[in-house]
Amino acid sequence: MGIDVAESSALDCVFGLTSRIVNGATLDETLNFVFESFSGLIPYDRIGFAEIDELAEYATARWLRSNDSTHLRLGYSAALASSSLSVVLRLQQPRILNNLNEYLERRPNSRSTRLMIREGMQSSLTCPVIAKEQPLGFLFFSSKTIDSYTKTHIKLSQVVAIQLAMQQLETQRIAATKKRAAKSPTADELAEAASSKPDKGPRHLSLSQLEPGMVLADPIQLGNGQLLLASKVVLSEVSIERLIRLAVRGYLRVESVCVL
């Protein structure tokens, strides 16, 4: 069975998107390509992308592009706990609102919806961007026409969201590598520091007391029993920040860490 024109067009757009990401396109460049190339596949007059902070408490408008003037602008931030977007995150599924005026009547305190209506938008498709169970952001398609979105558009938005998630993970990896290279002490520096310190034996310290260069005396496990860091591991600034972040999110249930 052959591929029809619509499917071929979709494949071309997805291939173009993937190629740009693989070749190092920035988030802005990637989203600009989506805006310029996907109009024949997904209806929209506006596309926006919001980032989620590390603790998944806020969503902040990071990128947007519209065919008209905008009222919900870059930097707009909203608490997820007080928003229906928290439901989108919990279900990890796209959401269609095909009549924003009716939605605003049900949720009159939704300032973001009110701003979108001021821009002339009547329908929206929101897709969460998630990688490895980590919420990274939201991709928003908005249209000036009521009843613009269908299940077919949901599938296409998920394809784009997956590509964005891959790009965000790679960006995080590169940033972490650069930060580690710039701030982590060298092996010689660690050895010199260790030789200059008196041997105090194992100590139990809180996460906030940890410092780069300390050596784990005991392994650290996640709440589900999975090994996170083995004993004898030298702590770096990055690993300490990760431990604190996991503890705040509830994945790590330790009150102190044993170090040498």
Side-chain angles (χ1 to χ4, degrees), residues 223-252:
N224 61 8
Q226 179 182 350
L227 179 65
L228 180 63
L229 292 173
S231 60
K232 309 303 181 183
V233 167
V234 178
L235 293 174
S236 64
E237 183 174 349
V238 172
S239 61
I240 294 172
E241 289 177 355
R242 184 186 181 201
L243 288 173
I244 295 174
R245 189 163 61 246
L246 289 171
V248 171
R249 291 182 175 180
Y251 296 122
L252 188 65

Side-chain angles (χ1 to χ4, degrees), residues 45-168:
D45 295 286
R46 183 191 202 276
I47 298 179
F49 178 77
E51 286 183 335
I52 298 175
D53 68 297
E54 287 190 346
L55 300 180
E57 293 180 346
Y58 290 90
T60 303
R62 162 71 173 77
W63 180 94
L64 68 86
R65 186 166 169 182
S66 174
N67 290 324
D68 209 336
S69 59
T70 59
H71 293 280
L72 197 162
R73 300 191 173 96
L74 295 180
Y76 178 88
S77 185
L80 291 174
S82 61
S83 169
S84 60
L85 289 177
S86 62
V87 179
V88 176
L89 272 189
R90 177 168 57 82
L91 298 177
Q92 298 190 9
Q93 291 294 323
R95 177 193 68 180
I96 289 177
L97 297 176
N98 265 331
N99 191 321
L100 291 181
N101 283 291
E102 287 185 356
Y103 178 76
L104 185 61
E105 289 178 3
R106 298 195 304 271
R107 296 180 65 92
N109 294 325
S110 177
R111 182 167 178 263
S112 59
T113 304
R114 194 177 300 277
L115 291 173
M116 294 299 290
I117 291 175
R118 286 182 62 187
E119 294 184 16
M121 303 304 158
Q122 297 294 319
S123 302
S124 72
L125 168 58
T126 302
C127 188
V129 179
I130 299 173
K132 297 182 178 179
E133 300 300 318
Q134 178 186 357
L136 301 175
F138 295 100
L139 180 65
F140 303 97
F141 293 93
S142 305
S143 169
K144 292 184 176 181
T145 304
I146 293 176
D147 294 327
S148 287
Y149 298 107
T150 66
K151 291 182 179 179
T152 298
H153 302 132
I154 281 180
K155 293 179 180 179
L156 285 168
S157 73
Q158 288 176 311
V159 170
V160 176
I162 289 172
Q163 300 295 318
L164 292 176
M166 292 170 56
Q167 182 185 50
Q168 291 293 87

